[in-house]
């Protein structure tokens, strides 16, 4: 656990915005952050357990979980992730940090799985999962300060959800910031000031119009997306204002339109952002150690 700086990395486990999944397509939102010797999962959209396993991280190593807000594309697989880690031999405490309501989610998940939990404790001699896991509900401000790791939060603009928080992880002079889901929100630039990596959600306007045309609930969907999410150009504006060292476009909307590719995202964000850029896809690794801010192949 010590001297882990050489392997510090961010892995984008699930890179699409919204809860829908399609054949061969990307998964909803989740990320792995390995910093300060900790194994941290940020958001638990569907697919997080499989994607985390595919990184080579044993589920038993699960340590800290952060949930930005309670939309299902960020929390649906929280319980199943922890439960699967438990059946894989988890024996060390896990702390889940989330907005108000996270405790109720966990309590009800354990109730829903009561039969299985009780029988595995008796039959397999496992520790009580309800005692291994603690939930800390947070608001805006300092979330965690634990040795080398400091985590702070900023309430962002994601109507009608009011408890939605950007997160800033700081350790050893480096920082990674997640925007969470948000409409263009200028205070984020200050919150992300000087970040080594800013992971910001992004929509592509032309892609949204195609998405809206495909769905039966088009007008309503369009209204929600534009009120609650940021265009790629707006993400670029936040990154520029923050003076971030790298911008990662994530929570992509649309993420699975064959007519939309990296070149389209790049063209949009280059109007407002000239720095290092990564367009997220599932499983993509951003190295954080030393001066190598990121792997080079996706740089554009
Ligand atoms: Zn979302
Ligand atoms: Zn959301």
């Amino acid at each position: 656990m010590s001297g882990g700086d050489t392997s510090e990395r961010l892995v984008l486990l699930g890179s699409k915005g919204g809860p829908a999944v399609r054949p061969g397509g990307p998964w909803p939102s989740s990320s792995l952050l390995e910093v300060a010797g900790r194994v941290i999962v940020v958001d638990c959209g569907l697919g997080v357990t499989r994607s985390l396993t595919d990184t080579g991280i044993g589920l038993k190593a699960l340590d800290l979980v952060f949930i930005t807000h309670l939309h299902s594309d960020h929390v649906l697989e929280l319980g199943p992730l922890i439960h699967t880690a438990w059946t894989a031999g988890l024996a060390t405490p896990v702390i889940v940090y989330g907005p108000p309501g996270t405790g109720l989610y966990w309590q009800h998940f354990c109730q829903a799985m009561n039969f299985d939990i009780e029988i595995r404790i008796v039959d397999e001699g496992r520790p009580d999962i309800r005692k291994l896991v603690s939930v800390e509900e947070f608001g805006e401000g300092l979330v965690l300060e634990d040795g080398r790791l400091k985590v702070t939060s900023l309430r962002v603009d994601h109507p009608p959800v009011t408890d939605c928080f950007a997160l800033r992880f700081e350790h050893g002079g480096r920082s990674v910031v997640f925007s969470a889901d948000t409409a263009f929100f200028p205070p984020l630039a200050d919150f992300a000031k000087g970040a080594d990596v800013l992971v910001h959600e992004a929509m592509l306007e032309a892609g949204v119009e195609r998405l809206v045309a495909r769905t039966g609930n088009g007008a309503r969907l369009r209204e929600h997306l534009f009120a609650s999410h940021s265009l790629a150009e707006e993400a670029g504006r936040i990154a520029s204002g923050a003076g971030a060292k790298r911008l990662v476009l994530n929570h992509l909307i649309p993420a699975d339109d064959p007519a939309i590719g990296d070149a389209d995202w790049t063209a949009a964000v280059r109007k407002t952002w000239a720095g290092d850029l990564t367009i997220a896809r599932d499983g993509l690794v951003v190295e954080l150690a030393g001066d190598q801010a990121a792997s080079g192949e996706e740089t554009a």
Side-chain angles (χ1 to χ4, degrees), residues 69 71 74 158 181:
H69 66 302
H71 264 151
H74 300 256
H158 189 46
D181 284 11

Side-chain angles (χ1 to χ4, degrees), residues 9-124:
R9 61 178 178 159
L10 163 71
V11 186
L12 302 155
L13 302 174
S15 59
K16 80 177 291 289
V21 290
R22 298 194 175 87
W27 290 102
S29 207
S30 63
S31 302
L32 165 67
L33 189 58
E34 286 182 277
V35 293
R38 313 300 295 261
V39 174
I40 303 166
V41 172
V42 179
D43 283 334
C44 290
L46 199 65
V48 62
T49 312
R50 178 56 189 258
S51 300
L52 185 61
T53 303
D54 285 349
T55 66
I57 296 275
L59 292 177
K60 282 193 292 186
L62 188 63
D63 179 8
L64 301 173
V65 179
F66 289 81
I67 302 295
T68 59
H69 66 302
L70 294 179
H71 264 151
S72 60
D73 55 320
H74 300 256
V75 77
L76 189 62
E77 204 171 300
L78 170 61
L81 169 66
I82 298 174
H83 187 285
T84 306
W86 179 62
T87 59
L90 179 78
T92 49
V94 170
I95 308 178
V96 179
Y97 293 87
T102 306
L104 196 63
Y105 166 97
W106 175 247
Q107 193 187 320
H108 287 177
F109 174 81
C110 289
Q111 278 170 13
M113 293 307 299
N114 187 63
F115 174 85
D116 181 86
I117 290 170
E118 295 289 353
I119 211 162
R120 286 185 195 279
I121 291 171
V122 174
D123 187 35
E124 300 170 13

Side-chain angles (χ1 to χ4, degrees), residues 24 127 282:
D282 290 8

Side-chain angles (χ1 to χ4, degrees), residues 60-272:
K60 282 193 292 186
L62 188 63
D63 179 8
L64 301 173
V65 179
F66 289 81
I67 302 295
T68 59
H69 66 302
L70 294 179
H71 264 151
S72 60
D73 55 320
H74 300 256
V75 77
L76 189 62
E77 204 171 300
L78 170 61
L81 169 66
I82 298 174
H83 187 285
T84 306
W86 179 62
T87 59
L90 179 78
T92 49
V94 170
I95 308 178
V96 179
Y97 293 87
T102 306
L104 196 63
Y105 166 97
W106 175 247
Q107 193 187 320
H108 287 177
F109 174 81
C110 289
Q111 278 170 13
M113 293 307 299
N114 187 63
F115 174 85
D116 181 86
I117 290 170
E118 295 289 353
I119 211 162
R120 286 185 195 279
I121 291 171
V122 174
D123 187 35
E124 300 170 13
R126 298 194 181 279
D128 191 335
I129 189 173
R130 293 157 296 204
K131 293 184 179 131
L132 272 183
V133 177
S134 52
V135 176
E136 303 272 353
E137 295 184 348
F138 66 83
E140 192 172 71
L142 180 66
V143 178
L144 166 67
E145 194 157 23
D146 181 7
R148 301 158 61 208
L149 179 66
K150 182 181 175 186
V151 185
T152 49
S153 70
L154 175 74
R155 189 185 302 275
V156 289
D157 187 21
H158 189 46
V161 178
T162 53
D163 287 325
C164 181
F165 297 95
L167 293 167
R168 181 179 181 119
F169 295 81
E170 292 177 73
H171 64 103
R174 287 196 289 275
S175 52
V176 177
V177 175
F178 294 85
S179 71
D181 284 11
T182 184
F184 178 59
F185 191 58
L188 249 178
D190 263 346
F191 182 71
K193 194 63 88 183
D196 293 274
V197 177
L198 169 61
V199 182
H200 201 295
E201 71 128 275
M203 288 188 302
L204 203 58
E205 191 156 19
V208 170
E209 297 303 349
R210 288 166 50 88
L211 184 71
V212 162
R214 280 210 313 266
T215 65
N217 192 22
R220 189 75 185 269
L221 175 65
R222 185 182 196 285
E223 193 182 327
H224 163 78
L225 289 175
F226 283 100
S228 312
H229 294 279
S230 301
L231 293 170
E233 296 89 318
E234 295 173 322
R237 201 166 294 150
I238 298 295
S240 293
K245 297 191 181 70
R246 172 170 295 272
L247 170 62
V248 178
L249 293 186
N250 192 38
H251 195 277
L252 304 178
I253 301 174
D256 46 14
D257 183 335
I260 304 279
D262 279 7
D264 300 290
W265 290 102
T266 302
V269 75
R270 279 302 178 221
K271 295 173 194 164
T272 52

